[in-house]
Amino acid sequence: MYASPRQQPYAPTPYGYTPNALSATINLDEEVKFPSNSSDRDLVDSLAEIYSIIVTLDGLEKAFNKDSVKDAEYTEICNRLLKQYKSNLSDERVNHEFCDLENFKSRWKIDCPRATERLRVGLPATMTHATTSLAPSKPSTAPAAPVASASSTILATENFITFLDALKLGIGSKDQLHPLLSEVIQSANKVTEVEFDGRGNIIKWLIHLNNMKAHEELSEADRRGVEFDIEAAYRGFKSVMI
């Protein structure tokens, strides 16, 4: 007699296979209806792309947390995914169908907590956390290296002033202020890794702006609050440059 072929360990069997919750709800006899016109197809394509961005972003965050990807590579990919996410949602019809992130996740049964947090913040982790060494430094007779180049410091200073000037001119919309404040934190990070006074408030207002609708404006109270906080952060930034 011939021995029966050995069953592969990954192959499902009638006794060991249990369908997951999603597959259990799928009716294989149900007719799948595809979009009948280009407008509907574009909508479905955009929603599918948003789905893939969320899943990809969650995988990227996992890899970054395990040090499986370099900071520079992570930052580049994360920025690209965040821009693609916002670009897809800039379409009014897509935005309406998407509704909001929690609704979309529930509807399509996505469990991506890391991606959810990154989309809430709207910036890569490398831009929201300053890294300061806690190890005691050894005394050295060599002259200290400059914190950053003069051009980087000047650019960061200009970005602080540009954002504050925008507020003074009465600009309060998310689509105008968020890019300016993003430039502030990115340029400041290139100058110093020190957690200067007020840096956390920059991140706080970036998250606040990121969670606003593109057309929404800051209230008068919020405008005064962000101006006060960013002015304080600017003073804190300048203090580490002395």
Side-chain angles (χ1 to χ4, degrees):
M1 291 181 66
Y2 295 100
S4 59
R6 184 179 179 183
Q7 188 164 3
Q8 296 297 327
Y10 56 80
T13 68
Y15 309 102
Y17 174 66
T18 304
N20 60 34
L22 179 58
S23 61
T25 62
I26 297 175
N27 182 358
L28 298 179
D29 295 324
E30 183 179 351
E31 182 181 359
V32 178
K33 295 182 179 180
F34 291 95
S36 58
N37 57 66
S38 60
S39 177
D40 288 343
R41 284 194 295 271
D42 287 344
L43 175 61
V44 171
D45 285 345
S46 295
L47 294 173
E49 187 169 348
I50 291 172
Y51 182 102
S52 68
I53 288 170
I54 295 171
V55 174
T56 303
L57 185 56
D58 199 70
L60 178 65
E61 292 294 314
K62 289 179 183 177
F64 178 70
N65 290 338
K66 294 178 180 178
D67 289 330
S68 300
V69 59
K70 294 180 179 178
D71 286 9
E73 185 180 4
Y74 161 81
T75 304
E76 179 186 354
I77 297 172
C78 187
N79 268 325
R80 189 187 314 135
L81 290 172
L82 290 172
K83 287 178 181 176
Q84 290 170 345
Y85 177 80
K86 293 175 183 177
S87 177
N88 276 285
L89 290 178
S90 64
D91 183 284
E92 186 175 345
R93 191 178 178 204
V94 174
N95 198 311
H96 180 268
E97 185 69 22
F98 177 80
C99 187
D100 58 56
L101 182 56
E102 291 304 320
N103 179 280
F104 187 81
K105 286 166 52 185
S106 175
R107 179 181 178 185
W108 299 109
K109 297 178 174 60
I110 311 174
D111 183 23
C112 296
R114 296 169 184 84
T116 301
E117 176 62 15
R118 189 56 47 215
L119 292 169
R120 184 185 73 85
V121 173
L123 288 172
T126 47
M127 294 183 183
T128 59
H129 295 91
T131 55
T132 307
S133 175
L134 298 179
S137 58
K138 296 179 179 180
S140 173
T141 56
V147 174
S149 66
S151 59
S152 297
T153 305
I154 291 171
L155 178 60
T157 300
E158 289 176 346
N159 286 333
F160 269 106
I161 294 172
T162 299
F163 181 80
L164 291 169
D165 284 348
L167 292 173
K168 289 180 173 65
L169 290 171
I171 295 174
S173 63
K174 176 248 180 95
D175 58 351
Q176 291 178 292
L177 290 181
H178 190 274
L180 295 178
L181 195 54
S182 296
E183 290 294 328
V184 169
I185 193 63
Q186 290 180 52
S187 58
N189 285 345
K190 291 178 181 178
V191 173
T192 178
E193 294 180 338
V194 174
E195 189 73 28
F196 56 85
D197 288 343
R199 185 182 181 280
N201 283 331
I202 301 176
I203 305 302
K204 178 189 76 174
W205 284 108
L206 274 168
I207 294 173
H208 181 86
L209 288 166
N210 186 61
N211 287 286
M212 292 170 57
K213 300 291 185 182
H215 64 276
E216 286 184 326
E217 299 248 347
L218 289 173
S219 66
E220 188 59 35
D222 280 345
R223 191 178 287 123
R224 288 196 300 269
V226 68
E227 183 175 0
F228 178 84
D229 285 343
I230 302 306
E231 283 180 345
Y234 182 35
R235 291 193 296 270
F237 173 76
K238 289 192 294 184
S239 70
V240 302
M241 298 295 99
I242 299 174

